[in-house]
Amino acid sequence: MLRGPAGAWAVLGPLLWGCGLALLQGGMLYPRESRSRERKELNGLWSFRADFSDNRRQGFEQQWYRAPLRESGPTLDMPVPSSFNDVGQDGQLRSFVGWVWYEREITLPQRWTEDLGMRVVLRIGSAHYYAIVWVNGVHVAEHEGGHLPFEADISKLVQSGPLSSCRITIAINNTLSPHTLPPGTILYKTDPSMYPKGYFVQNIKFDFFNYAGLHRTVLLYTTPTTYIDDITVTTDMDQDIGLVNYQIVVQGSDHFQLDVRLLDEEGKVVAKGTGAQGLLQVPSAHLWWPYLMHEHPAYLYSLEVKLTAQMAVGPVSDFYTLPVGIRTVAITERQFLINGKPFYFQGVNKHEDADIRGKGFDWPLLVKDFNLLRWLGANAFRTSHYPYAEEVLQLCDRYGIVVIDESPGVGIVSVESFSNVSLQHHLEVMEEMIRRDKNHPAVVMWSLANEPASFLKPAGYYFKTLIAHTKALDPSRPVTFVTSTSYEADLGAPYVDVICVNSYYSWYHDYGHMEVIQLQLATQFENWHKAYQKPMIQSEYGADTIAGFHEDPPLMFSEEYQKGLLEQYHAVLDQKRKEYVVGELIWNFADFMTNQSPLRMIGNRKGIFTRQRQPKSAAFLLRERYWKLANETRYHQSAVKSQCVGNSLFTV
């Protein structure tokens, strides 16, 4: 559907996305403080114990959640958020597989325990991989999946009588099975001449360390008992009029009033609305543009929602403010369009990974990474290979860094991992992911998996179903997965909107022979585009490099080899980006930890920055390239004429 008058969009817009996003049950709004809401972060030191019993079940058999953890044995201090693996000096804990136990005793504000008109919600930002939660020994939640938030209403527990504190216990199991995301297997070593009784290892088919623990913030937040549960926003343009479609879900009462205001960055009200859904029209709207694509990128409005309800105890109000970026996304056979203008992904793949913290969220590290991205001239990254912390996406919204948001579907290489059990879990993960990230203007595409064995017979049905479900949930964004399968064998590629291909020419084969890269890469692009006539992204390419290791002529693992390999790729990318290649994402932004292997020297060294975020020679090469590309494509608002295509269809 091409863009039409604002009146037509007012009718068709909700039909296009409402029927899809309405399938998502329950909201997952980021906990923000407001006049009606408070939050209490529980970051800091928690009591911790790993269950080293043979069956890893001693904690359940002895019911460690029934009493303070210290009463059942010794505990360690464990910082939250962090991975538990690298904090201590115990090598056995670093590679531990099984159940670990966290506990925190907290003091609650008096009004939280006495005001029956207040909800108290416990939210866990990320617990890898399977988590069970108790409050004061009472089971309140379980969750499968290590990269998305979950929460539990604990109001009745903390308001049940005289109570000023509560004890939160979280048991987490990092064991991966063929049906988890990512998948894994447990291999028991049974030769008694080589291994002790009961010896086992966790096998994985992905190239990063399986860090575990409470990786993101754990917090309590409050709302009134009648509250704003969810907000969904989609945007479009009609000439210079910004169109903001909203849908609001309220819980706790059927009798309420909703007032909506849209404010610009100066705090001026530019549009108003009422009711649970509606269309806001913004004359001369400021669009959300990517970094380096506009002189004023990443413009954010604020959608202020006020709920008023009449309850038996009197009037109740709830307030929530959602950042909103007005932008459109569309594709053609040869272009990726943001606000109707061709966009070229010039960026990186990343990992949530750093010294000591593992995958634990850390604000200074995050800000450092974004300063490096902007120094580099990168305008995009992929959340390889799992959804990143919500705060990461918030900074992308603020800075104009475009995101390909990827699910934890990495290492799907066995037939068993394409089963209906696995598919059902993958569908649920996409629902959770879209529920959390749907309102971020920086997120322009969903990626369902990385390098699956998409040549296996079940892969066709698997990805056809998964992609259709994702599109039904969110018709406003393209959908892809990242492949390393050949174009003629890939059974999932027919269903994606953008072809994303990983290739490591002159690294994992033809070692050291950089002279073959240009021919092989050009052939790759030509074959894929001839087969599918879709825009393409070189979603990974690179070479391991030891910082400070120099060889001339270039040899593998030297800084010169990494630079030379990238230059060979760039020569072909410069030809194909004039045709149908719409992006290039280096592997990787920074070195990161992996399992120990003869192929890895303390982790994967393909970063253009070290794990400590210091640049290798390739970082300066990429910086020169990305700023040159930005200067070639930069334009100014005064020259922009609305050519936006509606969000609902991608091929024009």
Side-chain angles (χ1 to χ4, degrees):
M1 183 183 73
L2 298 180
R3 63 175 175 82
W9 174 252
V11 175
L12 294 174
L15 295 177
L16 290 169
W17 56 265
C19 57
L21 291 168
L23 297 173
L24 298 172
Q25 299 299 313
M28 194 52 68
L29 293 174
Y30 184 78
R32 302 180 187 276
E33 290 190 316
S34 70
R35 284 179 284 173
S36 58
R37 298 177 175 225
E38 301 175 73
R39 57 179 276 164
K40 179 182 178 69
E41 292 191 2
L42 306 183
N43 296 342
L45 293 182
W46 288 52
S47 296
F48 174 89
R49 182 187 302 142
D51 186 344
F52 284 104
S53 63
D54 289 342
N55 66 359
R56 302 295 199 257
R57 301 282 304 174
Q58 185 177 24
F60 295 98
E61 294 166 356
Q62 298 181 358
Q63 298 183 335
W64 289 352
Y65 52 88
R66 290 287 190 186
L69 199 57
R70 63 182 178 275
E71 296 183 8
S72 55
T75 63
L76 302 173
D77 287 335
M78 185 60 64
V80 173
S82 75
S83 302
F84 64 73
N85 309 81
D86 288 349
V87 173
Q89 294 301 107
D90 186 348
Q92 190 178 9
L93 183 60
R94 186 182 188 277
S95 58
F96 179 80
V97 177
W99 289 99
V100 298
W101 293 72
Y102 286 79
E103 180 188 86
R104 176 80 179 267
E105 295 190 42
I106 60 171
T107 300
L108 297 172
Q110 184 175 1
R111 62 187 174 279
W112 289 22
T113 63
E114 295 181 352
D115 185 354
L116 299 183
M118 176 182 292
R119 293 172 67 243
V120 180
V121 182
L122 172 64
R123 180 185 176 103
I124 292 91
S126 172
H128 186 73
Y129 176 78
Y130 193 95
I132 306 175
V133 185
W134 298 264
V135 173
N136 294 331
V138 178
H139 176 275
V140 297
E142 293 191 26
H143 184 259
E144 181 179 2
H147 309 90
L148 292 164
F150 62 101
E151 56 187 32
D153 186 334
I154 63 171
S155 308
K156 292 181 179 179
L157 286 173
V158 302
Q159 295 168 351
S160 59
L163 182 68
S164 60
S165 65
C166 70
R167 176 170 45 85
I168 299 171
T169 308
I170 306 175
I172 304 173
N173 193 326
N174 65 343
T175 305
L176 302 178
S177 77
H179 305 304
T180 59
L181 282 181
T185 56
I186 295 296
L187 177 63
Y188 287 90
K189 306 279 191 174
T190 57
D191 185 342
S193 68
M194 298 181 65
Y195 305 101
K197 182 180 179 180
Y199 189 85
F200 67 90
V201 293
Q202 172 82 76
N203 278 354
I204 56 176
K205 297 297 184 180
F206 51 87
D207 189 29
F208 56 93
F209 191 73
N210 187 34
Y211 280 115
L214 289 172
H215 285 155
R216 298 171 191 160
T217 295
V218 179
L219 59 82
L220 295 169
Y221 73 92
T222 67
T223 73
T225 51
T226 297
Y227 60 97
I228 301 162
D229 181 56
D230 196 21
I231 303 171
T232 302
V233 167
T234 58
T235 65
D236 203 352
M237 288 291 295
D238 179 22
Q239 302 300 325
D240 67 341
I241 299 175
L243 306 177
V244 179
N245 247 304
Y246 67 86
Q247 180 171 310
I248 303 166
V249 177
V250 172
Q251 296 289 351
S253 176
D254 294 328
H255 306 288
F256 55 84
Q257 177 180 329
L258 286 168
D259 295 291
V260 178
R261 304 193 308 167
L262 190 70
L263 282 63
D264 64 17
E265 289 187 347
E266 285 70 48
K268 178 184 176 183
V269 177
V270 296
K272 294 182 179 181
T274 59
Q277 66 180 48
L279 173 71
L280 303 179
Q281 299 188 37
V282 185
S284 303
H286 298 283
L287 300 186
W288 188 94
W289 289 101
Y291 177 53
L292 299 179
M293 197 173 176
H294 192 270
E295 57 188 353
H296 297 299
Y299 193 96
L300 291 175
Y301 292 88
S302 297
L303 186 76
E304 291 188 350
V305 180
K306 177 184 178 182
L307 163 71
T308 306
Q310 290 296 327
M311 307 296 289
V313 296
V316 172
S317 297
D318 190 22
F319 302 87
Y320 192 88
T321 299
L322 179 74
V324 171
I326 299 175
R327 63 104 181 93
T328 64
V329 173
I331 63 168
T332 71
E333 289 183 358
R334 294 173 174 264
Q335 293 179 318
F336 195 101
L337 305 174
I338 295 181
N339 300 330
K341 295 293 182 179
F343 176 75
Y344 188 76
F345 294 79
Q346 53 187 62
V348 302
N349 295 276
K350 290 182 91 279
H351 264 297
E352 290 185 313
D353 174 278
D355 288 333
I356 301 173
R357 311 160 186 79
K359 293 192 179 301
F361 178 80
D362 180 68
W363 271 113
L365 179 69
L366 179 61
V367 173
K368 177 64 174 179
D369 281 1
F370 272 82
N371 286 334
L372 288 174
L373 286 171
R374 294 192 291 174
W375 172 86
L376 195 64
N379 62 15
F381 66 80
R382 174 170 62 118
T383 68
S384 47
H385 298 299
Y386 38 81
Y388 292 178
E390 293 160 280
E391 293 83 357
V392 176
L393 299 183
Q394 290 166 11
L395 283 192
C396 289
D397 292 342
R398 289 178 58 182
Y399 294 149
I401 304 297
V402 168
V403 176
I404 301 172
D405 203 354
E406 188 161 277
S407 87
V410 57
I412 305 175
V413 297
S414 71
V415 172
E416 194 174 2
S417 293
F418 284 104
S419 69
N420 286 338
V421 175
S422 297
L423 175 58
Q424 180 59 40
H425 179 49
H426 207 151
L427 295 171
E428 293 167 354
V429 168
M430 291 312 302
E431 291 175 7
E432 290 188 25
M433 183 171 155
I434 292 172
R435 181 186 297 116
R436 191 196 73 165
D437 296 344
K438 61 188 176 183
N439 291 320
H440 288 286
V443 175
V444 301
M445 184 158 56
W446 305 113
S447 173
L448 307 182
N450 177 75
E451 297 187 0
S454 47
F455 55 87
L456 294 176
K457 186 176 180 180
Y461 173 79
Y462 188 97
F463 282 107
K464 180 180 181 180
T465 304
L466 187 59
I467 290 171
H469 184 66
T470 303
K471 286 176 171 290
L473 292 172
D474 179 15
S476 71
R477 292 177 175 90
V479 178
T480 190
F481 70 86
V482 175
T483 186
S484 59
T485 298
S486 63
Y487 76 98
E488 69 268 63
D490 197 306
L491 301 178
Y495 309 109
V496 303
D497 297 306
V498 177
I499 302 290
C500 293
V501 179
N502 295 348
S503 56
Y504 289 92
Y505 301 122
S506 299
W507 188 258
Y508 290 122
H509 55 81
D510 296 308
Y511 322 122
H513 293 284
M514 289 191 286
E515 66 273 11
V516 304
I517 292 176
Q518 291 193 35
L519 174 60
Q520 293 179 359
L521 184 61
T523 301
Q524 167 199 275
F525 285 138
E526 290 160 8
N527 286 339
W528 275 101
H529 194 257
K530 182 179 179 180
Y532 289 105
Q533 298 295 302
K534 295 176 181 179
M536 291 188 63
I537 295 176
Q538 183 67 44
S539 41
E540 287 184 26
Y541 69 108
D544 280 88
T545 303
I546 308 301
F549 180 31
H550 297 283
E551 290 287 339
D552 185 28
L555 299 179
M556 293 178 71
F557 293 97
S558 70
E559 295 201 37
E560 288 75 18
Y561 192 91
Q562 186 182 41
K563 284 182 61 180
L565 184 146
L566 300 189
E567 288 170 337
Q568 294 296 315
Y569 269 81
H570 295 163
V572 179
L573 287 165
D574 280 340
Q575 299 170 20
K576 299 304 180 182
R577 67 185 173 87
K578 299 173 184 177
E579 301 176 43
Y580 47 79
V581 171
V582 298
E584 56 190 76
L585 303 177
I586 188 73
W587 188 269
N588 192 281
F589 172 73
D591 295 345
F592 57 91
M593 188 53 62
T594 65
N595 276 355
Q596 297 183 73
S597 161
L599 298 177
R600 296 283 177 250
M601 199 283 286
I602 312 181
N604 188 303
R605 299 298 184 116
K606 291 188 179 69
I608 57 171
F609 298 99
T610 67
R611 202 177 188 213
Q612 296 73 36
R613 272 52 179 182
Q614 295 304 312
K616 302 177 187 177
S617 299
F620 297 96
L621 173 71
L622 263 293
R623 183 173 191 261
E624 180 180 357
R625 174 172 178 78
Y626 286 170
W627 281 99
K628 179 181 178 182
L629 290 175
N631 287 329
E632 288 179 5
T633 58
R634 182 179 297 185
Y635 60 94
H636 298 287
Q637 181 68 35
S638 59
V640 175
K641 299 296 182 183
S642 178
Q643 301 177 24
C644 301
V645 176
N647 282 343
S648 56
L649 297 180
F650 298 112
T651 303
V652 296

